Amino acid sequence: MRLLPVIAQNSPTRDLSRRTLNPVRLSSHPRFDMETDMKLELAQAIFKSKDLVDAVFGHLVDLRKAEEYVEKLIAQGCVSVKQPKVSDEAVDARTAILSASEAAQECRLGQSRSEDSYVWSWTDICTDDGSVKFLNDIIQGCLSDDDTKNLFVAPFYTIHAFPLAYGRREDTRPDFILLPKDKMFDALYHNFSVILSPGELKTSDASNSLLQVSRYNRVTNLAQPGRRFVVSMAFTGPTVTLVRTDQSGMEYCTLDITSSGGAINFIRVLVGFAIASDQDLGLDPNVVFKPKKCHATISTLQSEDPDLSEDDWLSESEEPVDAPPKRVELVARTAGGIACRRSATDTAPVHYKILGLIYNASSICGRGVQTYVAQKEGNKGSRLLALKRSWQENKCLISEQRFHRLARDGGVTNVLLANEVYKSYVDGREDTTLYNIRNFAESAAETLGVENRTLVYLEFDLKRPMRYFCSLQDFVMAIADAMEGHKFLVEKKILHRDISENNVVLALNPSESSRGYLIDLDMATDYNYEEQPFAKGVNALMDESELAIPRRDEVVENYPAQKGDRTGTTPYMAISVLKGGNHGVREDLESFFYVIFLFFFSFRGPLPQGVLKEAHENGYIKRLGDKGAAYRTHILLWPELMQQWSHGSFSAIADSKRGFFEDKTEVGKAFQQRAMNGWDNEYASMVVLFPRIYNMFVNDSPVPSHDSFIGILRDWLKRFPVPPAGRNSCPFHNGKDQLV
């Protein structure tokens, strides 16, 4: 007789009163910048969840079905069970299975047994060479071939890095991957854009195993536009770790597969992976996916490609190996269409044809912004649009939509405002991380202390990303106009709070009335504007004694515990904000200063005119694989000091910035070296522009304000209205002359 009822076929709504959910800190390994990033990105957002197996696979494999699978595996000799305190006495398999089922339910309810009556032993438990065989043998012992959709396979590329690891410089080689069984032995599909799940195998150190698999989840999320979450698995000896990551962070549970509860839940996990649909494993049912062939270069050595920070398709192995880079043909999975609904009951969604990605900053925790170039279907010859997909923190979501309305109603110019705003709906419910993906009851989710994020789509007119600037004049005009837009917002009592290079876009054509636009009101806030000067130049901004109380008490290494509490993009954030101070107009102006300064360290000049013309004709879509290389030849890696402004704790970044910018000699030397290495033709004009902006922030000359900052830019444009000969790559003409 059962001590507890069998878990129902459909997973119940998760209730914290019946479960254990423990916040966990992720320890990092000093080898990789990404591991530091992961630690900070997931601060206060990692939870050990004892009911995760039920939350992920409970609707596919309930305990009653799992009992049948265990019985099969015992009969086949895949697993055996014994009672450790009873020598050589036969064990009644059915009794042991019922005990395992009861232990699994107790675990789900947050209970634990002081002593397990049984020990489970597995044949050919995971080893370096046999992990895939071990996993698939169990699956095939439970399921018929017709019932099996997916199987595990070792990556085809072992010496070289696993392909299409979107833009990171570290070891991204999973030990095993999950693919549809009809594609598992086809090398074309062995890449991060296609896999259903990555996996890691370690002989020891479960903490490092969790870190490694979370990195794979991050790369998978980045390489697969349209992902809602990623589920993965790691082995450390007899311990299996199930991991699910979404835009609110990470949940994981550990299973000791030699214990009763761990053994039966392990079988549920493997069968769940094998029969799961794409939606079960995290793909968005509102996105239509399409395959696309591409070529990519995979390497074992550190690449000199300058654009790894954002959109390169080259990844590296952990240790240098004596093997040349390898060019391979692949099939990538890309988004081909998206259906957007205005409500859960909307039966006539707006369909967008997706032409490609223009921006991708997907992550594990946070907004995970992806922007597509799109056209509305059904409108023949319709104009190109930008469709932004992001997971908005709920307390910011209503505010952003209101700010778009206020700005539009107030006649704000030089700010790109949304034409349409849609929430996403899955299974008839608003798509949120805590209620829809994790399936928490609303009352329970409120007690978690974890951000609840909603998937939102915003439609904009398409503009030109900053990297496609035509000349220095093109860039300065864009910054001046974007700053005018910022001033208009402030006059309407809206503060942007996220000034960065990616949030300034350029006009598609120089003939537009505005040459630059401010975008992204995700972090905007109501603001009662009264512009005030810096009291003592930039040093006052760095004086910790003058800083306000930090926004939250829960800070890990000076990093806000929740991303919803952050304002700004790290390299461009004002020093006082990095130190925990309040965010006002002065801080946004300081961020504009960093945009201008770092511009010269990000690019060696404009792309050639022919490349810009091709990019314009293609809608500035990111190209897959090696085809994208021509669009990145002008991009530079930042010097080591400035790279530090993207990684680590906020306090350390603030100190680094302070030490650099208060040393005028060092700033001048760095700027001169950069200007003479790629910008030498513009050097005469640059030494007029930059020192005036620098002195404004350091010496209050003039006092920093919208008008004084914009005035410096406009004065420079009057003095240098056209680029030097050979430095204007603008592909547009007014019928006779090349436009600037």
Side-chain angles (χ1 to χ4, degrees), residues 23-196:
V24 177
R25 287 192 180 184
L26 189 67
S27 60
S28 64
H29 193 289
R31 287 183 303 174
F32 301 110
D33 282 339
M34 186 178 180
E35 293 177 356
T36 302
D37 292 348
M38 292 289 297
K39 181 181 178 183
L40 297 176
E41 183 175 316
L42 292 170
Q44 303 294 313
I46 306 172
F47 289 88
K48 189 171 184 178
S49 307
K50 290 190 175 181
D51 69 341
L52 187 60
V53 174
D54 294 286
V56 176
F57 295 122
H59 65 296
L60 297 173
V61 191
D62 63 21
L63 279 174
R64 191 181 297 279
K65 195 68 180 173
E67 290 171 9
E68 298 175 12
Y69 295 143
V70 176
E71 202 161 7
K72 282 186 179 181
L73 294 174
I74 291 175
Q76 296 165 12
C78 292
V79 63
S80 61
V81 59
K82 64 180 181 179
Q83 291 178 288
K85 293 185 178 181
V86 180
S87 59
D88 299 328
E89 189 171 315
V91 172
D92 181 73
R94 189 60 190 163
T95 302
I97 292 169
L98 290 177
S99 178
S101 187
E102 290 161 3
Q105 294 190 68
E106 291 167 3
C107 180
R108 175 183 172 271
L109 298 176
Q111 303 167 2
S112 59
R113 294 183 172 185
S114 58
E115 187 175 8
D116 195 342
S117 301
Y118 299 95
V119 174
W120 297 74
S121 300
W122 299 83
T123 304
D124 299 326
I125 197 166
C126 271
T127 62
D128 287 340
D129 298 327
S131 59
V132 168
K133 182 179 184 303
F134 172 68
L135 299 175
N136 288 341
D137 282 351
I138 294 173
I139 290 170
Q140 291 164 342
C142 296
L143 300 172
S144 69
D145 188 58
D146 290 340
D147 290 335
T148 305
K149 294 180 182 178
N150 317 306
L151 286 171
F152 294 97
V153 65
F156 184 81
Y157 303 100
T158 54
I159 296 177
H160 293 82
F162 197 61
L164 305 194
Y166 213 142
R168 281 288 180 171
R169 237 198 199 113
E170 73 286 317
D171 179 22
T172 46
R173 292 180 301 171
D175 292 316
F176 55 89
I177 56 176
L178 186 75
L179 280 172
K181 66 178 183 181
D182 60 339
K183 296 180 174 63
M184 59 187 292
F185 296 120
D186 190 338
L188 292 172
Y189 296 93
H190 281 230
N191 65 77
F192 270 111
S193 79
V194 174
I195 63 172
L196 297 174

Side-chain angles (χ1 to χ4, degrees), residues 495-513:
L495 184 65
H496 189 278
R497 301 199 304 174
D498 190 16
I499 304 301
S500 69
E501 177 193 303
N502 287 324
N503 283 340
V504 177
V505 292
L506 301 93
L508 274 182
N509 191 304
S511 61
E512 291 184 28
S513 57

Side-chain angles (χ1 to χ4, degrees), residues 332-449:
R333 178 165 49 201
T334 62
I338 295 176
C340 294
R341 291 174 170 80
R342 292 186 169 85
S343 70
T345 58
D346 186 357
T347 57
V350 179
H351 291 277
Y352 288 88
K353 179 182 179 182
I354 303 302
L355 305 180
L357 268 172
I358 196 172
Y359 178 75
N360 188 1
S362 189
S363 58
I364 287 181
C365 190
R367 292 179 294 164
V369 176
Q370 296 168 325
T371 304
Y372 305 93
V373 179
Q375 288 177 307
K376 281 186 176 176
E377 291 187 357
N379 297 343
K380 202 169 184 180
S382 63
R383 72 185 192 281
L384 295 181
L385 301 165
L387 189 65
K388 175 184 170 183
R389 179 184 192 267
S390 68
W391 292 85
Q392 290 284 38
E393 205 277 326
N394 281 4
K395 65 187 177 186
C396 300
L397 180 58
I398 297 174
S399 297
E400 183 188 14
Q401 296 178 25
R402 180 169 61 85
F403 291 139
H404 278 277
R405 289 196 302 270
L406 287 174
R408 191 179 298 280
D409 294 344
V412 169
T413 59
N414 295 1
V415 177
L416 198 60
L417 301 174
N419 305 322
E420 300 277 1
V421 180
Y422 311 93
K423 291 182 181 178
S424 182
Y425 298 89
V426 172
D427 296 332
R429 296 194 299 171
E430 194 174 291
D431 199 9
T432 63
T433 50
L434 298 191
Y435 304 152
N436 211 18
I437 293 176
R438 301 195 188 187
N439 203 31
F440 283 112
E442 191 164 341
S443 58
E446 291 172 357
T447 68
L448 280 172

